[in-house]
Amino acid sequence: MANIAENIKRIKNQLPDGVKLIAVSKFHPVEKLLEAYGAGQRFFGENHAQEIAAKAPDVPHDVKWHFIGHLQSNKVRMIMPHIDMIHSIDSVKLIKTVNKEAARIDRIVKVLLQIHVAQEKTKSGFRVDELLSLADTGQFEGLDHVKVCGIMAMATNTDDKKQVALEFSTVRDTFEKLKKDFFSQDDCFQELSMGMSNDWKIAVDQGSTMVRIGTDIFGPREY
Ligand SMILES: *Cc1c(COP(=O)(O)O)cnc(C)c1O
């Protein structure tokens, strides 16, 4: 049995100041989430719209939901009242839908642009060159109900630490280029969401500001 409170404490003790821990509670019941909440955890990551909508009424109001999975445009409305940040913007169509749905309920929602640096084709996200050219043509401008706060990425699932470090450093370089060329006036553009249970230490070494950790906190998921 995972001791959730101890796991959170152990991880937080190892995170440098300013690096946020997102506890990935997907597929875990609300009771486990509340155990983490009791240990002071406030940021929770989920990757299914239905799961956030189902859990949200059963948790305290200061829980901050972070959406981290592939998001279909037709599910945006379902999460909009609950969500603190969407890490996984992977198309122009999606960010426009998020902007529209946020406007509909008169709020501003924080988002990250997801880039694809891993070797697995199944992982989603913009290619680096694609993202830079979309930014260059102003595709992320004029969206008054979203705040672009940085970028998110997943590394290849491999034991090759050098490969993972190289991918994370590509993410950081892309973040810095975007910040300098397109988001320099944007105070909010400062988050680099990278690192999961098996690679978060490497991610932190490479400049991560948000680690998304599930298994290391809650134990294995039962699908
Ligand atoms: C599930 C998931 C995580 C957490 O994975 P663990 O290996 O359990 O820490 C992090 N990020 C994303 C995008 C995920 O889908």
Side-chain angles (χ1 to χ4, degrees), residues 24 26 47 68 152 154 196-198 212-216 221:
V24 178
K26 66 189 189 194
N47 67 346
I68 60 171
M152 181 272 233
M154 296 166 87
M196 318 186 358
S197 289
N198 59 358
R212 310 175 310 268
I213 299 180
T215 311
D216 254 11
R221 288 177 284 275

Side-chain angles (χ1 to χ4, degrees), residues 42 59 69 84 87 99 106 109 142 157 201 209 214 220:
R42 293 295 178 269
V59 304
D84 179 48
H87 289 227
N99 186 57
D106 196 22
V109 71
N157 188 5
K201 288 183 186 162
T209 67

Side-chain angles (χ1 to χ4, degrees), residues 4-57:
I4 293 170
E6 268 175 28
N7 292 342
I8 287 175
K9 207 165 137 199
R10 173 177 47 83
I11 295 166
K12 280 196 173 155
N13 279 339
Q14 295 176 78
L15 290 176
D17 282 350
V19 178
K20 289 190 200 74
L21 173 61
I22 314 298
V24 178
S25 47
K26 66 189 189 194
F27 294 97
H28 292 294
V30 166
E31 296 76 66
K32 286 198 171 187
L33 196 155
L34 291 175
E35 224 177 301
Y37 183 92
Q41 182 63 29
R42 293 295 178 269
F43 299 100
F44 291 90
E46 292 280 344
N47 67 346
H48 284 107
Q50 293 91 331
E51 206 169 332
I52 291 185
K55 285 175 174 172

Side-chain angles (χ1 to χ4, degrees), residues 1-185:
M1 272 295 287
N3 186 323
I4 293 170
E6 268 175 28
N7 292 342
I8 287 175
K9 207 165 137 199
R10 173 177 47 83
I11 295 166
K12 280 196 173 155
N13 279 339
Q14 295 176 78
L15 290 176
D17 282 350
V19 178
K20 289 190 200 74
L21 173 61
I22 314 298
V24 178
S25 47
K26 66 189 189 194
F27 294 97
H28 292 294
V30 166
E31 296 76 66
K32 286 198 171 187
L33 196 155
L34 291 175
E35 224 177 301
Y37 183 92
Q41 182 63 29
R42 293 295 178 269
F43 299 100
F44 291 90
E46 292 280 344
N47 67 346
H48 284 107
Q50 293 91 331
E51 206 169 332
I52 291 185
K55 285 175 174 172
D58 297 333
V59 304
H61 286 303
D62 60 344
V63 159
K64 301 214 180 286
W65 294 107
H66 283 225
F67 197 87
I68 60 171
H70 176 65
L71 179 58
Q72 291 169 276
S73 292
N74 64 3
K75 300 279 169 61
V76 173
R77 188 169 295 184
M78 189 187 291
I79 63 169
M80 194 49 69
H82 310 295
I83 204 79
D84 179 48
M85 180 182 272
I86 299 172
H87 289 227
S88 42
I89 298 292
D90 57 6
S91 71
V92 171
K93 178 182 174 215
L94 179 60
I95 197 171
K96 288 192 167 153
T97 304
V98 169
N99 186 57
K100 196 177 80 194
E101 291 296 331
R104 211 176 65 89
I105 62 166
D106 196 22
R107 63 163 300 191
I108 292 173
V109 71
K110 293 178 276 185
V111 304
L112 304 178
L113 306 169
Q114 184 176 356
I115 65 171
H116 185 280
V117 290
Q119 272 155 3
E120 296 98 345
K121 292 220 166 50
T122 48
K123 288 178 175 159
S124 46
F126 297 103
R127 292 190 324 273
V128 171
D129 57 340
E130 179 191 15
L131 183 59
L132 293 173
S133 90
L134 289 169
D136 196 33
T137 54
Q139 300 293 316
F140 304 116
E141 289 167 20
L143 302 169
D144 294 339
H145 289 267
V146 298
K147 260 193 188 154
V148 181
C149 296
I151 63 181
M152 181 272 233
M154 296 166 87
T156 305
N157 188 5
T158 170
D159 291 332
D160 183 349
K161 295 194 160 115
K162 270 196 184 147
Q163 170 73 24
V164 172
L166 190 70
E167 290 172 0
F168 285 147
S169 81
T170 300
V171 179
R172 192 194 51 221
D173 290 349
T174 307
F175 168 79
E176 277 163 8
K177 184 162 178 47
L178 281 165
K179 184 162 180 71
K180 177 166 142 300
D181 292 349
F182 305 106
F183 293 99
S184 59
Q185 308 298 323

